[in-house]
Amino acid sequence: MWMFYSHYPPGFLKFTPGLLFFFLFNPQSFAVKAQVIPKAVEISGEESEIGYKFYASNVNHCPVSLIFSFDAVNICGLPTKRILVEANVQKQFLFEMKLCDPRKDYKFEYKCNTWLGDTELSSYDSTFIYTLPFPKGKAYKVSQGYFGIFSHQHLQALDFEMPEGSSVCAMRDGIVVCIKNNSRIGYNHSSSMEDANFILIYHKDGTFAIYGHLMQKGNLVAEGESVQQGQVIAYSGNTGWSSGPHLHVAVFSYKPGENFDIRTYSAYFKEANQAKTILQEGKTYTSIHP
Ligand SMILES: [Zn+2]
């Protein structure tokens, strides 16, 4: 019933002025409690005629947001907002910083937080119609809906009551960004929050979908793989903080923050009786997609 998304403190790097640098950057953790760990974003730099140029390489299958903060003396041209690094990119130029006064001494150090996706996602396709996350003809009850009082108080997330081993379908086309599949632990206590298996999928409008509490090794797709709407991607389970076999899904994007550092979005679904509806807690819906 409960999926927790959190972000961990940044690494902290120091530069020695005048030296070329090339760091393997520590990954930040994004989570359905800690498990959604983006692969390391590599920050590199080189001296330029006026200062330094910063670059990043990203091996994640989705864009990554970088937010720098600097402690600097006599340095100009620093970024003031998040910088988006494209998916699977080698050495993307980020920004160039320069000496405010070339005749004076300078120094700087920085830290950089990373998040999956665009933390400033301002436009996404709010009209998109999702398909139910199970095969055609199957019907399951929404045991907890948006802002449900059990564990969705802050989340527009949906729980479908379904037996372990049920087929789980992609609700929308996308690319698989991250998978956890090694847990077989699940019980109704927050201490098992980190034990939920899941699949995280990135959509082309910048949103993500999470499919959580999957059975051990229940994934049928791999990281980096493209999936089609309606495709069977996994088998459901009861891993993580869960009071019984069910599937948890949510559409969201990451945002900087301390606690629930995600922004969830309501989604329209089509099902047997309605072409476009917001799903309601307690009701049972029948899938019509292939
Ligand atoms: Zn849930």
Side-chain angles (χ1 to χ4, degrees):
M1 296 280 183
W2 181 262
M3 305 294 280
F4 187 76
Y5 310 78
S6 66
H7 178 249
Y8 287 79
F12 196 79
L13 297 178
K14 290 186 178 181
F15 283 97
T16 305
L19 290 179
L20 281 176
F21 49 88
F22 193 80
F23 292 109
L24 189 64
F25 198 66
N26 287 330
Q28 304 302 311
S29 303
F30 306 86
V32 175
K33 186 73 177 181
Q35 292 92 340
V36 183
I37 300 171
K39 294 166 185 70
V41 174
E42 195 176 86
I43 309 284
S44 61
E46 60 192 27
E47 287 177 303
S48 67
E49 287 184 6
I50 59 169
Y52 287 94
K53 288 181 175 176
F54 279 70
Y55 302 88
S57 298
N58 177 21
V59 297
N60 292 281
H61 301 292
C62 68
V64 169
S65 292
L66 305 182
I67 298 180
F68 286 87
S69 53
F70 278 85
D71 187 3
V73 175
N74 193 25
I75 298 289
C76 292
L78 298 175
T80 55
K81 53 182 278 190
R82 70 94 182 83
I83 301 173
L84 201 60
V85 183
E86 294 304 312
N88 301 306
V89 72
Q90 281 273 342
K91 207 178 178 188
Q92 175 183 320
F93 172 71
L94 301 179
F95 61 91
E96 184 172 21
M97 61 182 210
K98 61 182 181 182
L99 307 189
C100 306
D101 183 345
R103 297 162 299 182
K104 292 185 177 172
D105 288 343
Y106 66 96
K107 62 178 181 180
F108 65 91
E109 57 186 29
Y110 76 87
K111 57 181 176 179
C112 179
N113 282 339
T114 61
W115 281 267
L116 288 174
D118 185 353
T119 54
E120 295 178 13
L121 186 65
S122 54
S123 64
Y124 67 100
D125 186 0
S126 60
T127 64
F128 186 83
I129 299 177
Y130 292 79
T131 51
L132 292 168
F134 38 86
K136 182 179 182 180
K138 292 285 184 185
Y140 296 112
K141 186 170 95 173
V142 175
S143 54
Q144 188 179 194
Y146 290 162
F147 304 118
I149 59 169
F150 181 74
S151 61
H152 294 172
Q153 290 98 332
H154 306 286
L155 300 172
Q156 296 182 91
L158 298 164
D159 289 336
F160 293 95
E161 220 172 72
M162 60 172 70
E164 288 187 58
S166 302
S167 295
V168 173
C169 299
M171 304 181 291
R172 181 177 184 173
D173 292 359
I175 186 156
V176 179
V177 170
C178 188
I179 290 174
K180 175 178 168 63
N181 68 356
N182 60 357
S183 170
R184 50 191 184 88
I185 299 169
Y187 48 90
N188 190 7
H189 190 273
S190 58
S191 59
S192 63
M193 197 153 52
E194 297 185 22
D195 298 314
N197 294 321
F198 65 86
I199 293 177
L200 181 69
I201 291 180
Y202 180 73
H203 307 138
K204 69 177 183 184
D205 70 346
T207 59
F208 294 87
I210 188 105
Y211 303 78
H213 306 298
L214 305 175
M215 67 186 292
Q216 187 181 32
K217 294 195 168 74
N219 59 301
L220 300 172
V221 293
E223 290 178 4
E225 200 173 316
S226 292
V227 299
Q228 308 291 314
Q229 188 175 40
Q231 180 180 339
V232 179
I233 57 171
Y235 296 118
S236 69
N238 191 27
T239 55
W241 183 1
S242 179
S243 58
H246 77 286
L247 172 70
H248 168 109
V249 298
V251 176
F252 68 97
S253 62
Y254 291 93
K255 64 174 184 178
E258 294 290 321
N259 298 314
F260 284 90
D261 60 342
I262 62 167
R263 195 178 285 125
T264 55
Y265 304 106
S266 70
Y268 292 112
F269 282 85
K270 65 177 173 184
E271 52 96 33
N273 298 309
Q274 299 163 98
K276 181 183 179 184
T277 186
I278 300 285
L279 303 187
Q280 305 295 321
E281 186 171 309
K283 290 191 174 175
T284 296
Y285 296 95
T286 303
S287 177
I288 53 171
H289 68 83

